[in-house]
Amino acid sequence: MSRHHPRGITPIEPGPGQESAWDYPRPPALLPSTKRVVVTIGDAAAPVVIADTTGAYRVLETSHPPTWYLPRAHISPEALRPSRRRSTVCEWKGAATYWDVVGPAGELIEAAGWSYQQPTERFVPMTGFVAFMPALVQCWVDGERVRPQAGGFYGGWITDDVVGPFKGEAGTWGW
């Protein structure tokens, strides 16, 4: 059975074990996850693990792949430093603080992560948790390499268990 969005968008029908981003709520939901989430930097032959957790949160919002937030206690402290990037504001979560990722040889990936240090009431459980841009670092969920949400602005993590279409792809301006 196909579903149609009021703007003429046809969501992809989820298969067994899949979720549709079009079934996610607006305003977004915050859900804990016990899946293993790993973030690495460097080349594939010798990746450096900067985060590894089974205590992440997923933020689920209509038309977006999930954004994963990892607890600071499970991120290498030397891998993050405050970014010079100016804060942005999410209508749902509040003001974002950006983080640069620093590699073991001092290499710098600017504004590769962000957190909400004083989020809105709905998102208080993820205070200080850090999300990473999968276009800038390598992100993994239960061993599957994450694909970045298109467009370069949003930080959604696309895995095989989530179907779209997703905001950020060509023709999605105004969704």
Side-chain angles (χ1 to χ4, degrees), residues 3 7 10 12 42 56 64 82 84 94 105 107 109-110 118 124 127-128 131 136 156 162-163:
R3 301 172 295 160
R7 294 185 186 199
T10 302
I12 297 169
H64 293 267
R84 292 185 309 201
E107 62 274 28
I109 307 168
E110 293 184 26
Q118 296 179 333
V124 165
T127 300
L136 301 176
V162 181
V163 296

Side-chain angles (χ1 to χ4, degrees), residues 96-114:
T97 297
Y98 287 88
W99 300 93
D100 296 338
V101 171
V102 181
E107 62 274 28
L108 184 68
I109 307 168
E110 293 184 26
W114 72 96

Side-chain angles (χ1 to χ4, degrees), residues 110-131:
E110 293 184 26
W114 72 96
S115 63
Y116 294 90
Q117 300 304 109
Q118 296 179 333
T120 59
E121 186 176 337
R122 175 187 296 242
F123 295 95
V124 165
M126 65 173 221
T127 300
F129 280 48
V130 179

Side-chain angles (χ1 to χ4, degrees), residues 3-130:
R3 301 172 295 160
H4 293 278
H5 186 271
R7 294 185 186 199
I9 300 156
T10 302
I12 297 169
E13 208 48 53
Q18 291 183 316
E19 302 173 344
S20 171
W22 291 91
D23 291 332
Y24 294 161
R26 188 165 174 90
L30 177 65
L31 297 176
S33 176
T34 59
K35 290 186 176 189
R36 185 170 183 211
V37 179
V38 177
V39 178
T40 65
I41 59 173
D43 65 41
V48 175
V49 175
I50 63 165
D52 190 339
T53 189
T54 55
Y57 279 103
R58 295 189 312 152
V59 172
L60 308 178
E61 180 178 356
T62 305
S63 80
H64 293 267
T67 304
W68 293 75
Y69 290 82
L70 289 65
R72 283 295 296 266
H74 297 178
I75 302 169
S76 296
E78 60 277 353
L80 292 180
R81 77 167 197 203
S83 179
R84 292 185 309 201
R85 180 165 178 189
R86 202 177 86 180
S87 179
T88 58
V89 177
C90 169
E91 66 182 307
W92 309 114
K93 296 180 287 297
T97 297
Y98 287 88
W99 300 93
D100 296 338
V101 171
V102 181
E107 62 274 28
L108 184 68
I109 307 168
E110 293 184 26
W114 72 96
S115 63
Y116 294 90
Q117 300 304 109
Q118 296 179 333
T120 59
E121 186 176 337
R122 175 187 296 242
F123 295 95
V124 165
M126 65 173 221
T127 300
F129 280 48
V130 179

